[in-house]
Amino acid sequence: MTVPQPPEPIPGARLLFSLDPSVSHLNHGSFGAVPIAVQRAQQRLRDEMEADPLRFFTQGLVDRIAHARRHLAAFLGADPDGTALVGNVTAGAAVVLQSLALRPGDEILTTDHGYGAVALSIARECARTGAVSRTLPVPLTATDEEVVEIVRAGLRPGRTRLLIVDQLTSPTARLFPAAALVAVAREQGVPVLVDAAHAPGMLPATVASIGADFWVGNLHKWAYAPRGTAALVVAPSWREKIQPLVVSWEQDSGFPTRVEWQATLDYTGWLAAPVGLFTLRSLGIDRVRAHNAALAAYGQRVVGDALGVAPERLPEPGGPAVAMRLVPLPPGVATTLDAARELRARIADRLSAEVSVAGWNGRGYLRLCGQVYNTPDEYDRLAVRLPTLLAQR
């Protein structure tokens, strides 16, 4: 099988970012990259804040946040009145978990593709309330239909208080059938939280089309917003039950303002986030999505070939819109969290390439992303040099 052809670059896209050109930034999914125009918009807002802090915080800031929220909610296909801006998906998940009023014996159900920090939040809430958590194993090669049946069989109506599923998984770059999973859980009366950390900007599905009780997604990854910008979308029946992690002066305003307002938090990232959407739309959303997905597929194949991974053994993402791909590492490499972190650091230090490395179910995986600032030669260089680095372990 031939390696897929890389996409044509989007002219001028690399110049929109201030990334170090001596480094191959192949891990957009972890922390994103903020376009220069968005950086400057946020800096202008910070200048305004520092010029007169009292005026900035006390005259119209709540309305300005609501205005930004409406822009972002419209982009996501979400109800702005049911959307609260939060710092990230982990924070949004924590808000939901502590708002459930869990009791001893209640159950939180997840899959083994979930994000580690969310798992830590679940563990803390269970320890605090006496609830329990249960994890469903889902094979990496499972079809959408098999995933749905695994979750259906795992639900315990009357005991399962919340199902948490990923729209696009972080450790395994797997696209889950989120809408179908929500429908199955609804049949059994189980609320669902969709972890959509990587969805905004990358995936075309709207929040409304998924229909979850709770949906939380980062805009600072694939939607070019400043870091610390995420949206928590809550179904109408739950909004009055949602409580912030920290109570502040807008507590009596109800959802979503009570969740958003945290007194002297730096809100400039949220206010500048619509500029990120403008940048994305200027490049062409469909064009960016197609480019990034094709480039990630190219990178997966060339690096996979270099490591001797047969094309049929390269995990499929489950859809053409996914701009993150996995490459299995040799057996015994990066199988634990510490080993994965150590390998990621060695690749960064010795190969000048930023990637994600994860150990999942006893196997190490390299996760590669595609973004408009990347070029095919960056994956080619990694493919040439990585086998030697792995042989030196």
Side-chain angles (χ1 to χ4, degrees), residues 210-297:
I210 295 171
D213 300 87
F214 314 100
W215 180 101
V216 59
N218 291 321
L219 289 114
H220 55 241
K221 294 181 183 287
W222 304 90
Y224 299 157
R227 291 175 197 88
T229 306
L232 169 63
V233 184
V234 178
S237 61
W238 284 98
R239 292 173 191 172
E240 288 306 309
K241 301 174 185 177
I242 296 296
Q243 295 292 330
L245 296 176
V246 178
V247 173
S248 193
W249 290 106
E250 292 295 329
Q251 177 67 14
D252 293 338
S253 298
F255 186 86
T257 309
R258 66 158 56 126
V259 170
E260 293 174 334
W261 187 255
Q262 299 293 306
T264 49
L265 188 73
D266 184 351
Y267 301 96
T268 59
W270 296 356
L271 300 182
V275 181
L277 300 185
F278 176 81
T279 303
L280 181 58
R281 288 178 172 128
S282 297
L283 292 171
I285 296 176
D286 292 340
R287 184 186 191 190
V288 168
R289 286 172 173 160
H291 171 276
N292 293 348
L295 194 56

XYZ file of all heavy atoms in Angstrom, residues 210-297:
691
model
N -25.969 16.144 19.491
C -25.556 15.068 20.392
C -26.586 14.873 21.494
O -26.892 13.744 21.885
C -24.162 15.366 20.971
C -23.132 15.340 19.822
C -23.779 14.371 22.053
C -21.772 15.828 20.217
N -27.130 15.965 22.003
C -28.245 15.878 22.938
C -27.900 15.422 24.333
O -28.764 14.884 25.039
N -26.654 15.623 24.768
C -26.249 15.158 26.094
C -26.823 16.047 27.193
O -27.152 17.214 26.971
C -24.725 15.142 26.193
N -26.906 15.480 28.375
C -27.295 16.275 29.540
C -26.229 17.318 29.852
O -26.541 18.453 30.225
C -27.487 15.364 30.751
C -28.563 14.323 30.515
O -28.231 13.245 29.968
O -29.721 14.590 30.845
N -24.972 16.905 29.693
C -23.834 17.798 29.921
C -22.819 17.566 28.801
O -22.528 16.423 28.446
C -23.163 17.511 31.270
C -24.112 17.350 32.419
C -24.457 16.079 32.873
C -24.659 18.446 33.049
C -25.328 15.907 33.930
C -25.534 18.295 34.110
C -25.873 17.027 34.555
N -22.320 18.631 28.262
C -21.298 18.562 27.205
C -20.264 19.619 27.543
O -20.625 20.775 27.818
C -21.932 18.844 25.853
C -21.038 18.816 24.644
C -20.906 17.812 23.734
C -20.164 19.867 24.186
N -20.019 18.151 22.755
C -19.539 19.414 23.008
C -19.857 21.140 24.658
C -18.627 20.193 22.295
C -18.929 21.921 23.967
C -18.337 21.442 22.788
N -18.992 19.263 27.517
C -17.955 20.250 27.813
C -16.812 20.075 26.817
O -16.328 18.975 26.580
C -17.471 20.139 29.275
C -16.918 18.769 29.602
C -16.476 21.246 29.602
N -16.432 21.190 26.181
C -15.393 21.145 25.153
C -14.449 22.322 25.252
O -14.851 23.436 25.618
N -13.188 22.089 24.914
C -12.180 23.149 24.909
C -12.197 23.907 23.590
O -12.237 23.292 22.522
C -10.781 22.558 25.112
C -10.576 21.997 26.499
O -11.037 22.565 27.481
N -9.867 20.875 26.590
N -12.143 25.224 23.677
C -11.983 26.042 22.475
C -10.536 26.475 22.275
O -10.204 27.071 21.247
C -12.891 27.273 22.539
C -14.372 26.919 22.388
C -15.134 27.221 23.656
C -14.995 27.616 21.200
N -9.676 26.173 23.241
C -8.277 26.596 23.127
C -7.401 25.546 22.452
O -6.183 25.702 22.418
C -7.709 26.956 24.501
C -7.826 25.868 25.529
N -8.543 26.037 26.689
C -7.344 24.618 25.588
C -8.481 24.948 27.416
N -7.751 24.058 26.757
N -8.016 24.506 21.918
C -7.238 23.537 21.155
C -7.430 23.790 19.660
O -6.617 24.435 19.013
C -7.636 22.114 21.540
C -7.283 21.725 22.980
C -7.690 20.305 23.284
C -7.414 19.925 24.730
N -5.989 19.726 25.026
N -8.536 23.321 19.120
C -8.724 23.349 17.668
C -9.543 24.549 17.189
O -9.771 24.687 15.994
C -9.363 22.042 17.219
C -8.554 20.856 17.643
C -8.664 20.156 18.804
C -7.457 20.265 16.942
N -7.715 19.152 18.865
C -6.962 19.196 17.727
C -6.852 20.526 15.709
C -5.896 18.395 17.327
C -5.796 19.720 15.307
C -5.328 18.670 16.115
N -9.975 25.419 18.101
C -10.735 26.612 17.715
C -9.947 27.890 17.952
O -10.513 28.989 17.907
C -12.067 26.668 18.464
N -8.626 27.758 18.243
C -7.694 28.890 18.258
C -7.988 29.931 19.335
O -7.581 31.083 19.211
C -7.663 29.579 16.894
C -7.219 28.718 15.739
C -7.588 29.039 14.433
C -6.430 27.587 15.920
C -7.189 28.271 13.350
C -6.023 26.813 14.849
C -6.409 27.150 13.562
O -6.001 26.382 12.494
N -8.685 29.576 20.386
C -8.938 30.519 21.477
C -7.739 30.550 22.420
O -6.917 29.621 22.437
C -10.188 30.113 22.251
N -7.613 31.597 23.225
C -6.578 31.586 24.270
C -6.796 30.421 25.228
O -7.931 29.994 25.464
C -6.779 32.929 24.975
C -7.420 33.808 23.960
C -8.326 32.893 23.181
N -5.706 29.925 25.798
C -5.831 28.818 26.737
C -6.680 29.221 27.937
O -6.659 30.364 28.371
C -4.455 28.349 27.195
C -3.688 27.669 26.077
C -2.275 27.295 26.446
N -1.535 27.045 25.210
C -0.910 27.990 24.524
N -0.913 29.228 24.979
N -0.297 27.700 23.401
N -7.395 28.244 28.454
C -8.304 28.525 29.554
C -9.694 28.891 29.094
O -10.450 29.507 29.842
N -10.033 28.490 27.854
C -11.357 28.790 27.307
C -12.060 27.492 26.942
O -11.632 26.769 26.041
C -11.257 29.678 26.055
O -10.496 30.846 26.352
C -12.643 30.094 25.585
N -13.129 27.207 27.650
C -13.927 26.018 27.381
C -15.392 26.349 27.621
O -15.714 27.357 28.259
C -13.493 24.848 28.267
N -16.271 25.496 27.100
C -17.705 25.710 27.241
C -18.345 24.496 27.881
O -18.120 23.356 27.450
C -18.343 25.980 25.882
N -19.125 24.736 28.925
C -19.926 23.712 29.568
C -21.378 23.952 29.178
O -21.948 24.993 29.514
C -19.774 23.775 31.085
C -20.749 22.930 31.916
C -20.566 21.439 31.622
C -20.561 23.215 33.405
N -21.966 23.003 28.459
C -23.348 23.125 27.995
C -24.210 22.159 28.806
O -23.890 20.969 28.920
C -23.455 22.812 26.491
C -24.881 23.042 26.003
C -22.468 23.675 25.697
N -25.308 22.688 29.354
C -26.141 21.928 30.279
C -27.583 21.922 29.781
O -28.113 22.969 29.379
C -26.063 22.534 31.694
C -26.973 21.778 32.664
C -24.623 22.523 32.196
N -28.215 20.764 29.805
C -29.620 20.640 29.397
C -30.510 21.427 30.359
O -30.185 21.592 31.538
C -30.025 19.172 29.372
N -31.670 21.906 29.872
C -32.537 22.756 30.704
C -32.888 22.158 32.059
O -32.919 22.871 33.070
C -33.780 22.939 29.824
C -33.268 22.831 28.432
C -32.184 21.799 28.482
N -33.149 20.876 32.127
C -33.602 20.271 33.377
C -32.532 20.266 34.463
O -32.837 20.062 35.648
C -34.076 18.837 33.128
O -33.017 18.039 32.614
N -31.280 20.482 34.075
C -30.183 20.427 35.040
C -29.656 21.802 35.434
O -28.866 21.908 36.379
C -29.030 19.608 34.457
C -29.245 18.135 34.471
C -29.687 17.346 33.446
C -29.014 17.251 35.572
N -29.757 16.045 33.831
C -29.342 15.946 35.133
C -28.562 17.429 36.880
C -29.229 14.832 35.957
C -28.451 16.322 37.705
C -28.792 15.046 37.244
N -30.021 22.855 34.754
C -29.329 24.135 34.915
C -29.414 24.703 36.325
O -28.438 25.247 36.846
C -29.856 25.139 33.884
C -29.457 24.756 32.473
C -30.105 25.620 31.404
N -29.870 25.031 30.079
C -30.427 25.455 28.969
N -31.288 26.485 28.993
N -30.155 24.860 27.821
N -30.560 24.583 36.961
C -30.693 25.138 38.301
C -29.939 24.319 39.352
O -29.714 24.794 40.472
C -32.171 25.250 38.678
C -32.898 26.356 37.940
C -32.205 27.703 38.094
O -31.905 28.092 39.247
O -31.935 28.349 37.058
N -29.538 23.104 38.989
C -28.812 22.253 39.937
C -27.307 22.457 39.864
O -26.572 21.983 40.749
C -29.140 20.782 39.664
C -30.631 20.460 39.778
C -30.908 19.032 39.364
C -32.406 18.747 39.348
N -32.715 17.380 38.881
N -26.855 23.140 38.808
C -25.414 23.304 38.617
C -24.877 24.395 39.534
O -25.365 25.526 39.529
C -25.094 23.640 37.153
C -25.478 22.473 36.249
C -23.614 23.986 36.980
C -24.683 21.206 36.509
N -23.864 24.034 40.317
C -23.230 24.964 41.238
C -21.753 25.145 40.880
O -21.091 24.192 40.461
C -23.344 24.446 42.675
C -24.767 24.377 43.195
C -25.379 25.760 43.367
O -24.678 26.741 43.639
N -26.700 25.840 43.213
N -21.233 26.355 41.041
C -19.818 26.586 40.736
C -18.917 25.912 41.758
O -19.346 25.600 42.880
C -19.691 28.110 40.802
C -20.748 28.517 41.783
C -21.895 27.569 41.534
N -17.678 25.707 41.390
C -16.713 25.169 42.339
C -16.382 26.194 43.410
O -16.055 25.831 44.551
C -15.433 24.740 41.599
C -15.599 23.604 40.585
C -14.281 23.340 39.865
C -16.093 22.332 41.266
N -16.439 27.488 43.050
C -16.177 28.575 43.989
C -17.346 29.544 43.928
O -17.703 30.033 42.850
C -14.861 29.313 43.639
C -14.641 30.476 44.602
C -13.677 28.349 43.680
N -17.952 29.841 45.062
C -19.073 30.781 45.114
C -18.541 32.209 45.113
O -17.607 32.542 45.844
C -19.922 30.531 46.375
C -20.994 31.607 46.526
C -20.563 29.160 46.317
N -19.148 33.047 44.256
C -18.756 34.446 44.211
C -20.000 35.316 44.080
O -21.132 34.847 44.293
C -17.771 34.684 43.065
O -17.163 35.964 43.191
N -19.814 36.582 43.670
C -20.867 37.584 43.782
C -22.025 37.392 42.822
O -23.073 38.011 43.003
C -20.264 38.985 43.604
C -19.419 39.374 44.762
C -18.066 39.433 44.798
C -19.872 39.722 46.075
N -17.627 39.796 46.045
C -18.730 39.989 46.856
C -21.131 39.829 46.678
C -18.789 40.358 48.188
C -21.196 40.203 48.014
C -20.043 40.461 48.754
N -21.896 36.559 41.801
C -23.002 36.316 40.882
C -23.760 35.029 41.215
O -24.505 34.510 40.381
C -22.489 36.263 39.441
C -21.976 37.591 38.908
C -23.074 38.648 38.788
O -24.233 38.275 38.542
O -22.756 39.844 38.934
N -23.580 34.512 42.420
C -24.212 33.262 42.808
C -25.732 33.303 42.621
O -26.346 32.342 42.160
C -23.870 32.927 44.261
C -24.527 31.673 44.794
C -24.036 30.396 44.121
O -23.025 30.402 43.429
N -24.752 29.302 44.321
N -26.346 34.423 42.963
C -27.803 34.512 42.878
C -28.312 34.739 41.462
O -29.533 34.746 41.243
C -28.311 35.634 43.790
C -28.099 35.314 45.269
O -27.957 34.115 45.592
O -28.055 36.253 46.070
N -27.407 34.921 40.509
C -27.818 35.158 39.121
C -28.213 33.872 38.410
O -28.793 33.916 37.326
C -26.689 35.844 38.338
O -26.381 37.102 38.899
N -27.894 32.731 38.979
C -28.232 31.464 38.352
C -27.253 31.072 37.261
O -26.286 31.770 36.972
N -27.532 29.922 36.661
C -26.690 29.417 35.577
C -27.009 30.207 34.299
O -28.166 30.505 34.039
C -26.995 27.931 35.355
C -26.099 27.258 34.362
C -24.892 26.730 34.750
C -26.459 27.167 33.023
C -24.064 26.109 33.828
C -25.639 26.550 32.098
C -24.441 26.026 32.514
N -25.987 30.598 33.517
C -24.579 30.221 33.599
C -23.682 31.212 34.336
O -22.513 30.916 34.600
C -24.176 30.165 32.126
C -25.012 31.231 31.490
C -26.333 31.211 32.209
N -24.218 32.403 34.680
C -23.351 33.445 35.232
C -22.713 33.021 36.540
O -21.547 33.346 36.799
C -24.152 34.746 35.428
O -24.836 35.057 34.217
C -23.239 35.903 35.791
N -23.434 32.275 37.376
C -22.868 31.882 38.669
C -21.645 30.992 38.506
O -20.757 30.974 39.360
C -23.917 31.181 39.531
C -24.396 29.853 38.997
C -24.998 28.945 40.097
N -26.074 29.574 40.830
C -27.283 29.066 41.000
N -27.588 27.905 40.403
N -28.187 29.680 41.718
N -21.589 30.249 37.392
C -20.433 29.395 37.137
C -19.279 30.210 36.558
O -18.111 29.998 36.884
C -20.817 28.240 36.190
C -19.587 27.472 35.716
C -21.788 27.303 36.884
N -19.598 31.184 35.710
C -18.558 31.960 35.022
C -17.850 32.947 35.937
O -16.645 33.155 35.825
C -19.181 32.707 33.842
C -19.680 31.795 32.744
C -20.430 32.539 31.661
O -20.988 33.618 31.955
O -20.471 32.048 30.523
N -18.603 33.612 36.825
C -18.032 34.730 37.571
C -17.213 34.236 38.755
O -17.725 33.660 39.699
C -19.135 35.673 38.052
C -18.557 36.904 38.680
C -18.498 37.181 40.017
C -17.937 37.998 38.010
N -17.887 38.395 40.216
C -17.523 38.923 38.999
C -17.686 38.297 36.671
C -16.876 40.112 38.698
C -17.044 39.485 36.362
C -16.648 40.375 37.358
N -15.916 34.481 38.680
C -14.986 34.091 39.744
C -14.162 35.299 40.190
O -12.943 35.233 40.349
C -14.066 32.971 39.254
C -14.791 31.707 38.843
C -15.444 30.997 40.008
O -14.786 30.688 40.994
N -16.736 30.748 39.916
N -14.858 36.430 40.348
C -14.235 37.662 40.856
C -13.044 38.085 40.017
O -13.211 38.441 38.853
C -13.865 37.498 42.320
N -11.819 38.038 40.547
C -10.660 38.594 39.852
C -9.974 37.607 38.912
O -8.782 37.725 38.627
C -9.634 39.117 40.869
O -9.397 38.105 41.858
C -10.154 40.367 41.550
N -10.696 36.642 38.413
C -10.173 35.791 37.348
C -9.814 36.658 36.135
O -10.440 37.691 35.889
C -11.252 34.779 36.951
C -10.881 33.662 35.984
C -9.996 32.639 36.701
C -12.137 32.962 35.473
N -8.803 36.251 35.381
C -8.457 36.965 34.149
C -9.393 36.492 33.038
O -9.252 35.397 32.513
C -7.002 36.687 33.772
C -6.543 37.477 32.551
O -7.395 38.108 31.890
O -5.338 37.462 32.256
N -10.366 37.332 32.703
C -11.379 36.969 31.708
C -10.981 37.352 30.280
O -11.767 37.155 29.354
C -12.707 37.661 32.046
C -13.258 37.314 33.405
C -13.026 38.140 34.492
C -13.995 36.149 33.607
C -13.517 37.826 35.757
C -14.488 35.824 34.863
C -14.244 36.671 35.937
O -14.729 36.355 37.179
N -9.784 37.882 30.104
C -9.426 38.398 28.776
C -9.362 37.294 27.727
O -9.618 37.549 26.548
C -8.083 39.142 28.828
O -7.044 38.249 29.300
C -8.172 40.353 29.757
N -9.026 36.080 28.130
C -9.002 34.979 27.165
C -10.381 34.684 26.606
O -10.529 34.445 25.399
N -11.385 34.703 27.463
C -12.753 34.470 26.997
C -13.202 35.589 26.061
O -13.841 35.341 25.039
C -13.708 34.397 28.187
C -13.458 33.246 29.106
C -12.538 32.233 28.943
C -14.130 32.981 30.336
N -12.590 31.361 29.998
C -13.560 31.786 30.866
C -15.137 33.624 31.038
C -13.990 31.242 32.080
C -15.576 33.074 32.247
C -15.006 31.904 32.752
N -12.861 36.824 26.414
C -13.286 37.954 25.593
C -12.598 37.953 24.233
O -13.160 38.437 23.247
C -12.993 39.269 26.327
C -13.673 39.461 27.692
C -13.314 40.835 28.267
C -15.182 39.307 27.585
N -11.381 37.396 24.168
C -10.636 37.356 22.907
C -10.945 36.116 22.081
O -10.576 36.041 20.902
C -9.130 37.417 23.177
N -11.652 35.143 22.663
C -11.897 33.874 21.973
C -12.611 34.031 20.635
O -12.299 33.290 19.688
C -12.666 32.920 22.887
N -13.574 34.955 20.491
C -14.203 35.097 19.172
C -13.228 35.459 18.057
O -13.497 35.163 16.889
C -15.229 36.219 19.403
C -15.599 36.085 20.850
C -14.304 35.720 21.521
N -12.106 36.071 18.390
C -11.091 36.375 17.371
C -10.494 35.074 16.839
O -10.140 34.974 15.656
C -9.996 37.295 17.938
C -8.951 37.628 16.873
C -10.607 38.579 18.501
N -10.387 34.066 17.696
C -9.927 32.754 17.229
C -10.886 32.156 16.221
O -10.463 31.572 15.215
N -12.191 32.300 16.475
C -13.176 31.810 15.517
C -13.080 32.572 14.205
O -13.239 31.993 13.122
C -14.585 31.946 16.092
C -14.869 31.197 17.395
C -16.344 31.344 17.764
C -14.479 29.730 17.290
N -12.825 33.884 14.289
C -12.662 34.674 13.075
C -11.468 34.179 12.267
O -11.540 34.072 11.032
C -12.479 36.155 13.437
C -12.209 37.037 12.258
C -13.247 37.477 11.446
C -10.912 37.418 11.936
C -12.996 38.285 10.342
C -10.648 38.217 10.836
C -11.694 38.654 10.039
N -10.377 33.856 12.954
C -9.192 33.334 12.267
C -9.512 32.013 11.577
O -9.135 31.790 10.415
C -8.045 33.143 13.268
O -7.766 34.386 13.924
C -6.791 32.645 12.571
N -10.195 31.134 12.290
C -10.554 29.839 11.722
C -11.456 30.000 10.507
O -11.250 29.354 9.461
C -11.245 28.990 12.791
C -11.681 27.579 12.413
C -10.500 26.749 11.944
C -12.374 26.904 13.598
N -12.445 30.872 10.610
C -13.353 31.090 9.482
C -12.637 31.761 8.314
O -12.966 31.499 7.153
C -14.541 31.925 9.945
C -15.516 31.162 10.851
C -16.643 32.045 11.316
N -17.667 31.290 12.017
C -18.138 31.605 13.228
N -17.666 32.661 13.869
N -19.069 30.859 13.808
N -11.674 32.619 8.600
C -10.930 33.276 7.521
C -10.136 32.267 6.698
O -10.010 32.399 5.476
C -9.984 34.336 8.108
O -10.712 35.364 8.753
N -9.589 31.264 7.383
C -8.869 30.209 6.676
C -9.815 29.260 5.952
O -9.419 28.607 4.982
C -8.014 29.411 7.668
C -6.835 30.138 8.310
C -6.237 29.298 9.425
C -5.779 30.473 7.266
N -11.059 29.180 6.427
C -12.044 28.248 5.876
C -12.144 27.022 6.750
O -11.225 26.196 6.758
N -13.222 26.896 7.511
C -13.320 25.812 8.490
C -13.202 24.444 7.824
O -12.432 23.582 8.262
C -14.650 25.915 9.271
C -14.688 27.209 10.085
C -14.830 24.708 10.185
C -15.999 27.447 10.803
N -13.942 24.227 6.746
C -13.889 22.926 6.079
C -12.504 22.669 5.503
O -12.007 21.528 5.537
C -14.940 22.856 4.968
C -16.361 22.839 5.513
O -16.531 22.506 6.705
O -17.293 23.171 4.756
N -11.895 23.707 4.995
C -10.547 23.571 4.426
C -9.539 23.188 5.503
O -8.696 22.306 5.302
C -10.156 24.898 3.772
C -8.823 24.901 3.051
C -8.520 26.321 2.591
N -7.392 26.372 1.673
C -6.813 27.499 1.279
N -7.298 28.667 1.707
N -5.798 27.478 0.450
N -9.622 23.840 6.654
C -8.712 23.542 7.758
C -8.927 22.118 8.249
O -7.966 21.366 8.471
C -8.910 24.555 8.900
C -8.190 24.096 10.163
C -8.414 25.937 8.476
N -10.183 21.735 8.421
C -10.465 20.382 8.908
C -9.922 19.317 7.961
O -9.296 18.342 8.392
C -11.971 20.205 9.084
C -12.546 20.924 10.295
C -14.058 20.877 10.292
N -14.611 21.427 11.531
C -15.847 21.866 11.662
N -16.693 21.807 10.633
N -16.262 22.354 12.818
N -10.163 19.488 6.671
C -9.698 18.509 5.689
C -8.173 18.455 5.656
O -7.573 17.372 5.594
C -10.264 18.843 4.308
N -7.545 19.616 5.695
C -6.086 19.687 5.676
C -5.490 18.969 6.883
O -4.578 18.134 6.755
C -5.639 21.145 5.667
C -4.154 21.334 5.858
N -3.563 21.352 7.110
C -3.142 21.506 4.967
C -2.266 21.520 6.978
N -1.987 21.620 5.694
N -6.002 19.284 8.065
C -5.426 18.737 9.284
C -5.601 17.229 9.369
O -4.687 16.506 9.773
C -6.061 19.406 10.506
C -5.703 20.870 10.616
O -4.819 21.360 9.929
N -6.394 21.586 11.481
N -6.781 16.738 8.985
C -7.022 15.301 9.031
C -6.125 14.563 8.034
O -5.566 13.505 8.357
C -8.487 15.014 8.746
N -5.977 15.109 6.841
C -5.136 14.467 5.833
C -3.667 14.476 6.245
O -2.941 13.499 6.021
C -5.314 15.168 4.483
N -3.222 15.555 6.865
C -1.826 15.649 7.282
C -1.541 14.674 8.427
O -0.480 14.033 8.455
C -1.509 17.078 7.710
C -0.029 17.436 7.860
C 0.734 17.150 6.558
C 0.119 18.905 8.246
N -2.481 14.539 9.359
C -2.298 13.571 10.442
C -2.249 12.149 9.894
O -1.460 11.314 10.368
C -3.430 13.715 11.458
N -3.080 11.850 8.896
C -3.063 10.526 8.282
C -1.732 10.258 7.594
O -1.186 9.144 7.665
C -4.219 10.400 7.291
